[in-house]
Amino acid sequence: MDNPFSLIWYVLFLPLAGSLIQALFGGAVVRRLGPAQGKRLMGTIAVLPVAASFLIGVVLVQQLTTMPVQTRHEVVTLFDWIQLQSISIPFEALVDPLSMTMVLIITGVGALIHLYATGYMGDDRDYTRFFTYLNLFIAFMLILVLGNNLPLLFIGWEGVGLCSYLLIGFWYKDLNNARAANKAFIVNRIGDWGLMLGMFLLMVVLAGSKVSLQSNHYLSYEVIFANAVNALRAHPELATAIALLLFVGACGKSAQFPLYFWLPDAMAGPTPVSALIHAATMVTAGVYLLNRMHVLFELSPVASAVVAMVGAFTAVFAALIAFGQTDIKKVLAYSTVSQLGFMFIACGSGAYWAGMFHVTTHAFFKALLFLGSGAVIYAMAHEQDMRRYGNLIKYLPITAGTMIAGYLAIAGVPGLAGFYSKEAILGGALGNEHAIAGGVNLGAVAGWVGLFAAMLTAWYMTRLTMLTFFGKQERWRELPAEEHHEEAHAHDAHEAHEEHAHEDPHGFFFTDEEMAARHEEHEHHHALTGDHQPKEVPPSMWIPLVVLAVLSIGGGYVLHQHELLQKWLYPSGLAVLDPALVPGHPHALPLMALSIFAAGLGLAAGLFFYWKGLPAKETYDESKWSPFRKAARDQFGYDGALMDAGVNGGRDIGLAMWKGVDVAVIDGAVNGLAWTVGRIGDLVRRVQTGFVRSYALMMLLGGVGLLLFLLMELRKLGGAQ
């Protein structure tokens, strides 16, 4: 192997091979060796390919660091993929700082999540099917970030969407899970519409321009970016249109307003899936797209301003919604949406490296928080309502300690990972003038909004931590036993169920009787009762928590030292990423002091309200909740409005089209024509009696009629004279 970067194909294909092994042999191995030994073997086989990809990625990164900064850009071609007249599309991978940063996040955090899943999914019936999807998810995400042309990016983009659909709806026979998977799939198709139009428009502009393309690899990045600048510089309106269409695609994948609402429902999938989607794979795709395509956004300050403001609004909006959630995973889900808003503030402001910095640190502490929440749920008999926790630090010291590290990191406590990346984002937004629209520096506006969102983040995460791990009350002991029994699983997403037998004429989903049987089976192993004793999770689950906690504590500091990540991500020829053009700090502002003050204010407010445990206004009786909290619980009516407009409204339009157009017009015309022909047939049928005399009489009448007709015609001509 002459080119050492050819190792990149092992990074890509090892998870794919792992997925095929799980799919082809997993079931047979488990049956042959038995559930315990078989699952242990297949779990190991699921983790190893991803871990091996990470190690190879480390080797390649080390190789890149030995090269001069200007040459850290290697394209590795495997074969000629598509040849169409003058267009050539190779199957090629791009090895550069941006793609390898993503590779390390995807495979490193992904391997830890795989290890955790071997314990979390240990008693699941479809163990190998789960890892088939999980390995495939990693493989498609790697295609997305490593592909060096638009078709490969699109394949990875759609593959990630497919895998998210499969994993969110993993327990697919429950109607709620199937709906959540459908919701994610459909909303992402809206984003894909924008992505495809943006790509097509970009190709049309390049093909129609007078720019001389130097290669027939028209769709490869180096050709696109080299020519797009010249083709679009004189047409800023086209640059804005292309950038905004690509941003629509990014909004779909990275759950930005108005396309964010699929992500909280994605909690229907198993907790390792939530961690993988929220931390290491799918939601980072949109941020990666903006970073990879940043040359196009550089040409349009208006599009950049839109990106920054949408990110700012999403950061605050999702943070406010988090205050109304009682499900521990839902709080973390809205936290993800909010943190993604920070990343888009950075990208819109031109501080792309800061966005990637937050992608990296967020992967550490958000994976930690999700896996930690899974450990809590595991220990609490699959109960997800924080109102039924309390004082769990007494029973779950490892889980509590690691989750507290993640909480302090996301809250922006100085010295921990989230502080450095968030402060870099706010500094980038407040310290430059890249995102300008109508003469207003909207990047700076987004920065101030982000500072407020940072305070909210510290506040609602303190609420989650205090209600879960602290307080003297162990609230699950306070409920009547029968209530525990009835509601033990009502908040467990994969067991949540509703009356739907009448909606399922095909018998695909579980009937109510089957669901009841599953509840009974589940409760045989897990039942949250007043005498329940939470227990720490096994090593396969807490080891990833410890590793991620260490990264959440020290990862940001290491990457911040000597501007390590900033200099690593600054490639040659990408002006926007040049720190010299986009300063990291407005030196006139005491930004660090402001960031610390915002985090401290949020922490203090959270401790003030939740130090003594669950406030009376947030108990199980939701009629006592404040109007704000009720509105936050209902997403301020947004999800309901979209359901009414998009789902119910679409259903009403469909019914109207069915009854008004299909039944009344189309079916009416066809049925009316058939009725007319039928009536004519009835009349003709009456003539067909089968009697010869009737036919002779008809012939006679016909002959007489014909003669009379001829006589009348001759009379007109005077022939009858």
Side-chain angles (χ1 to χ4, degrees):
M1 189 177 294
D2 297 332
N3 187 350
F5 291 103
S6 297
L7 287 172
I8 196 64
W9 297 119
Y10 291 102
V11 173
L12 185 61
F13 290 121
L14 278 171
L16 184 61
S19 176
L20 290 174
I21 291 171
Q22 297 287 336
L24 297 176
F25 309 110
V29 169
V30 172
R31 286 192 297 272
R32 182 67 179 268
L33 300 180
Q37 193 173 354
K39 288 182 177 179
R40 195 175 298 121
L41 176 61
M42 296 313 297
T44 304
I45 293 175
V47 175
L48 285 179
V50 185
S53 293
F54 172 73
L55 294 176
I56 297 172
V58 171
V59 171
L60 293 178
V61 168
Q62 188 178 20
Q63 185 72 26
L64 275 180
T65 57
T66 61
M67 301 166 61
V69 173
Q70 304 298 324
T71 61
R72 291 174 183 172
H73 181 278
E74 191 77 20
V75 176
V76 185
T77 301
L78 187 61
F79 55 84
D80 289 331
W81 180 26
I82 299 174
Q83 292 286 345
L84 183 63
Q85 295 186 344
S86 62
I87 298 178
S88 176
I89 304 175
F91 198 93
E92 55 186 356
L94 173 60
V95 182
D96 72 349
L98 177 59
S99 64
M100 292 312 298
T101 300
M102 290 297 300
V103 165
L104 294 186
I105 294 172
I106 295 165
T107 56
V109 178
L112 293 173
I113 294 173
H114 273 67
L115 175 60
Y116 177 95
T118 59
Y120 190 89
M121 300 296 291
D123 61 352
D124 196 275
R125 299 171 181 174
D126 293 324
Y127 188 80
T128 56
R129 180 168 66 86
F130 177 79
F131 282 111
T132 300
Y133 297 160
L134 215 59
N135 275 185
L136 191 63
F137 205 158
I138 296 288
F140 274 122
M141 193 66 196
L142 290 171
I143 292 176
L144 193 158
V145 300
L146 284 173
N148 186 46
N149 54 55
L150 293 181
L152 280 175
L153 180 142
F154 190 71
I155 287 176
W157 193 270
E158 293 303 311
V160 168
L162 169 67
C163 291
S164 68
Y165 171 77
L166 295 172
L167 285 167
I168 293 170
F170 180 72
W171 290 303
Y172 57 91
K173 281 206 165 188
D174 190 331
L175 185 58
N176 278 346
N177 294 345
R179 283 175 173 167
N182 286 339
K183 191 174 186 179
F185 192 80
I186 292 169
V187 174
N188 272 278
R189 298 291 76 71
I190 298 173
D192 294 351
W193 164 82
L195 175 68
M196 285 190 290
L197 287 184
M199 291 166 54
F200 292 151
L201 183 56
L202 176 61
M203 289 302 99
V204 168
V205 169
L206 289 177
S209 70
K210 296 180 180 179
V211 174
S212 175
L213 300 177
Q214 301 300 318
S215 168
N216 62 348
H217 294 172
Y218 300 143
L219 303 181
S220 296
Y221 292 147
E222 65 271 17
V223 179
I224 290 174
F225 297 146
N227 292 280
V229 174
N230 295 326
L232 293 172
R233 184 165 288 158
H235 303 283
E237 70 285 356
L238 283 176
T240 300
I242 293 170
L244 290 179
L245 286 169
L246 295 176
F247 177 57
V248 172
C251 283
K253 276 289 183 288
S254 292
Q256 292 297 284
F257 189 87
L259 301 179
Y260 77 91
F261 56 101
W262 66 269
L263 192 59
D265 284 9
M267 297 300 97
T271 296
V273 174
S274 305
L276 196 62
I277 289 177
H278 285 250
T281 56
M282 189 165 175
V283 299
T284 62
V287 184
Y288 167 79
L289 178 72
L290 263 62
N291 274 271
R292 181 59 74 194
M293 299 288 179
H294 76 278
V295 174
L296 305 174
F297 287 86
E298 179 188 5
L299 297 170
S300 173
V302 174
S304 296
V306 171
V307 173
M309 288 309 297
V310 169
F313 178 78
T314 304
V316 172
F317 186 65
L320 292 174
I321 293 175
F323 281 95
Q325 307 305 312
T326 56
D327 184 321
I328 187 171
K329 286 177 66 178
K330 282 288 183 71
V331 175
L332 295 177
Y334 286 107
S335 166
T336 299
V337 177
S338 179
Q339 295 303 304
L340 288 165
F342 279 94
M343 300 170 202
F344 279 85
I345 290 175
C347 294
S349 302
Y352 289 88
W353 76 271
M356 287 304 301
F357 192 6
H358 203 52
V359 166
T360 307
T361 59
H362 182 262
F364 299 155
F365 56 70
K366 188 48 64 67
L368 167 61
L369 290 169
F370 261 113
L371 297 184
S373 73
V376 171
I377 294 167
Y378 186 92
M380 293 298 289
H382 290 259
E383 176 59 68
Q384 296 183 201
D385 193 332
M386 296 185 300
R387 294 172 297 184
R388 296 180 179 174
Y389 296 162
N391 197 28
L392 287 181
I393 192 171
K394 173 183 175 183
Y395 303 97
L396 312 174
I398 299 175
T399 300
T402 53
M403 277 196 76
I404 289 171
Y407 146 62
L408 295 176
I410 194 175
V413 172
L416 276 73
F419 169 76
Y420 295 105
S421 58
K422 204 175 293 185
E423 203 250 357
I425 290 173
L426 299 178
L430 293 171
N432 73 84
E433 298 179 351
H434 176 69
I436 295 178
V440 179
N441 184 0
L442 293 179
V445 175
W448 288 114
V449 175
L451 193 64
F452 177 64
M455 186 274 292
L456 295 178
T457 303
W459 189 342
Y460 70 73
M461 286 304 300
T462 302
R463 172 177 177 259
L464 180 149
T465 304
M466 295 302 296
L467 292 182
T468 302
F469 294 113
F470 295 99
K472 296 180 180 179
Q473 292 178 308
E474 297 176 354
R475 293 185 293 277
W476 72 92
R477 302 191 190 282
E478 300 172 356
L479 294 177
E482 56 271 19
E483 186 171 355
H484 283 291
H485 179 76
E486 291 174 358
E487 300 184 11
H489 299 274
H491 299 275
D492 187 351
H494 81 271
E495 296 292 359
H497 186 57
E498 62 184 48
E499 297 291 337
H500 60 73
H502 61 284
E503 299 178 5
D504 182 26
H506 306 294
F508 179 79
F509 299 108
F510 286 128
T511 64
D512 294 328
E513 291 75 16
E514 289 172 326
M515 285 302 297
R518 285 172 62 84
H519 282 173
E520 290 178 3
E521 177 189 349
H522 201 64
E523 287 170 4
H524 179 71
H525 301 287
H526 310 284
L528 182 61
T529 56
D531 58 352
H532 178 76
Q533 293 296 319
K535 295 180 180 178
E536 193 60 89
V537 293
S540 63
M541 294 174 66
W542 64 253
I543 288 174
L545 296 181
V546 172
V547 175
L548 289 167
V550 172
L551 293 171
S552 298
I553 293 171
Y557 176 79
V558 172
L559 295 174
H560 176 71
Q561 288 302 299
H562 308 294
E563 299 178 339
L564 181 64
L565 186 66
Q566 187 174 351
K567 293 178 179 176
W568 164 251
L569 286 173
Y570 168 47
S572 60
L574 303 181
V576 171
L577 290 175
D578 188 345
L581 298 180
V582 182
H585 271 133
H587 299 293
L589 289 172
L591 182 63
M592 185 173 292
L594 289 174
S595 297
I596 295 173
F597 175 74
L601 185 62
L603 290 169
L607 291 173
F608 176 78
F609 283 103
Y610 301 102
W611 179 257
K612 295 183 179 179
L614 185 67
K617 292 184 177 180
E618 296 187 34
T619 57
Y620 313 104
D621 185 1
E622 298 185 2
S623 64
K624 297 180 180 178
W625 285 17
S626 68
F628 162 74
R629 202 167 297 280
K630 289 179 181 177
R633 177 198 59 193
D634 299 332
Q635 301 182 45
F636 301 101
Y638 180 75
D639 191 63
L642 281 186
M643 287 296 291
D644 289 339
V647 178
N648 298 333
R651 180 198 58 201
D652 294 341
I653 292 173
L655 287 174
M657 293 294 290
W658 169 42
K659 294 181 178 178
V661 177
D662 187 30
V663 174
V665 178
I666 299 176
D667 286 358
V670 174
N671 294 337
L673 180 61
W675 182 87
T676 302
V677 172
R679 299 290 77 75
I680 295 174
D682 286 343
L683 292 174
V684 174
R685 180 171 55 80
R686 296 176 188 278
V687 178
Q688 304 298 319
T689 61
F691 296 108
V692 175
R693 59 179 181 272
S694 298
Y695 299 150
L697 176 61
M698 292 175 65
M699 291 175 65
L700 176 62
L701 293 175
V704 170
L706 181 61
L707 286 173
L708 288 174
F709 175 76
L710 291 174
L711 287 172
M712 291 176 66
E713 292 299 317
L714 290 172
R715 186 180 181 84
K716 291 178 181 177
L717 296 174
Q721 298 295 329

